[in-house]
Amino acid sequence: METQKIYKYLSQKHADMMMKEGIIRIGTLYEYRKNEQPDKQRNDNNEGKMSYVYDIDAEINARDLPKIFADLVQEDVNFKNIILKTPLDAQNSYIYCGSQVFDKNLMTEFKTECCVEIFDIKNFVETIGKQLANEGYIYNCVLQGPCNYIGHEVDVNFNETAEFLKDKELYGHQAEYRVIYKPLIYNVHGEIVKAEIESLGNGITEFRTPKREDACAPVIYPIIISCNEIIKFCRKIS
């Protein structure tokens, strides 16, 4: 079922700034890995990380391994009774998140006093994306959807992105919905290098960082934007 609304839990100050001036904070994926911050409900050292896992019982030659592992094994060797794992670390990205549920317990958990309901997610997300693109932060590549609470170890056939994986026991009750805005990628000459974007079907979009050796993502930081247009897609409900 498609998510119809998302709920943003905020302090009184930040809720007023959002509803009166359209001022919001866009975070980054990597900032939520910072365990030293005293906010265990928002911080997760595994943000954007996952490991492909392949459990081998019967003997198999390296040439017959799933491609993600075969590319790592250069020798002609056999494997048996072993579990192979290979980690993947998502590129840092801009992120805006909320919850799919209105729950006053979450308000307490996040140490906030207010909740803003975003009732038109499509236009809210697109409006922010256009402004970020116009200001040179992104080139309007957006991934969005509910978090997948299956942990960070996945089967080799898993075809979603690491940015949406969370641990169910610790965070499942938050029912998080997140929007990922991919930052611009540059080469050493300062030119923009377009990433590869492919639809995999079933609402899944894959974003692949360019393989060019001269391509790199800039170091990104949380940003504050003022976008009056988003006010009409929200309402303060608590």
Side-chain angles (χ1 to χ4, degrees):
M1 183 178 178
E2 184 179 352
T3 299
Q4 300 298 319
K5 301 174 182 178
I6 56 177
Y7 300 91
K8 189 71 176 178
Y9 296 96
L10 298 164
S11 67
Q12 180 72 57
K13 174 184 175 182
H14 292 132
D16 287 344
M17 290 170 66
M18 181 175 180
M19 293 309 302
K20 294 178 181 178
E21 304 173 72
I23 295 176
I24 60 171
R25 181 183 188 275
I26 308 293
T28 71
L29 189 67
Y30 286 8
E31 76 168 302
Y32 292 108
R33 294 180 179 179
K34 297 179 180 178
N35 284 336
E36 67 271 16
Q37 294 184 7
D39 191 346
K40 295 180 180 179
Q41 300 306 323
R42 288 186 173 91
N43 296 332
D44 179 0
N45 195 45
N46 289 314
E47 284 286 5
K49 298 179 182 179
M50 71 180 183
S51 293
Y52 287 106
V53 180
Y54 191 50
D55 192 347
I56 300 172
D57 293 325
E59 188 169 315
I60 185 173
N61 187 271
R63 294 188 299 267
D64 299 317
L65 290 171
K67 189 176 186 304
I68 193 168
F69 292 104
D71 290 347
L72 301 175
V73 181
Q74 304 299 322
E75 300 178 5
D76 184 13
V77 295
N78 291 335
F79 294 93
K80 184 178 181 181
N81 297 326
I82 191 172
I83 297 176
L84 298 180
K85 295 184 181 181
T86 183
L88 183 149
D89 197 353
Q91 174 195 322
N92 198 9
S93 303
Y94 297 108
I95 181 172
Y96 191 81
C97 54
S99 175
Q100 297 174 84
V101 297
F102 173 62
D103 185 344
K104 289 191 175 181
N105 289 326
L106 287 178
M107 199 179 300
T108 300
E109 184 174 309
F110 292 136
K111 300 179 177 64
T112 57
E113 307 93 42
C114 298
C115 180
V116 172
E117 178 188 82
I118 302 168
F119 54 81
D120 188 341
I121 300 173
K122 179 179 183 296
N123 282 309
F124 181 88
V125 170
E126 288 180 356
T127 300
I128 294 172
K130 287 176 183 177
Q131 178 154 332
L132 291 176
N134 289 338
E135 294 183 8
Y137 291 107
I138 68 171
Y139 50 85
N140 218 14
C141 173
V142 182
L143 307 178
Q144 62 180 307
C147 283
N148 193 345
Y149 293 96
I150 60 172
H152 297 273
E153 292 190 352
V154 299
D155 181 81
V156 291
N157 296 314
F158 185 75
N159 63 356
E160 296 181 36
T161 58
E163 291 97 330
F164 293 90
L165 295 183
K166 300 284 288 183
D167 181 85
K168 183 175 182 178
E169 183 178 353
L170 293 175
Y171 305 104
H173 64 286
Q174 296 177 357
E176 183 180 343
Y177 186 96
R178 59 177 47 177
V179 182
I180 302 289
Y181 295 99
K182 290 292 185 178
L184 289 172
I185 296 175
Y186 299 90
N187 69 13
V188 292
H189 303 295
E191 299 172 326
I192 296 175
V193 180
K194 295 292 186 181
E196 299 175 25
I197 306 169
E198 178 183 356
S199 176
L200 303 179
N202 297 321
I204 300 170
T205 302
E206 183 174 66
F207 175 96
R208 291 191 292 273
T209 301
K211 300 298 182 183
R212 290 171 49 173
E213 292 183 0
D214 64 348
C216 62
V219 176
I220 64 174
Y221 301 96
I223 53 178
I224 305 294
I225 66 169
S226 179
C227 184
N228 285 319
E229 282 293 304
I230 66 170
I231 297 174
K232 61 187 176 185
F233 308 128
C234 312
R235 64 172 181 161
K236 187 176 174 183
I237 61 173
S238 179

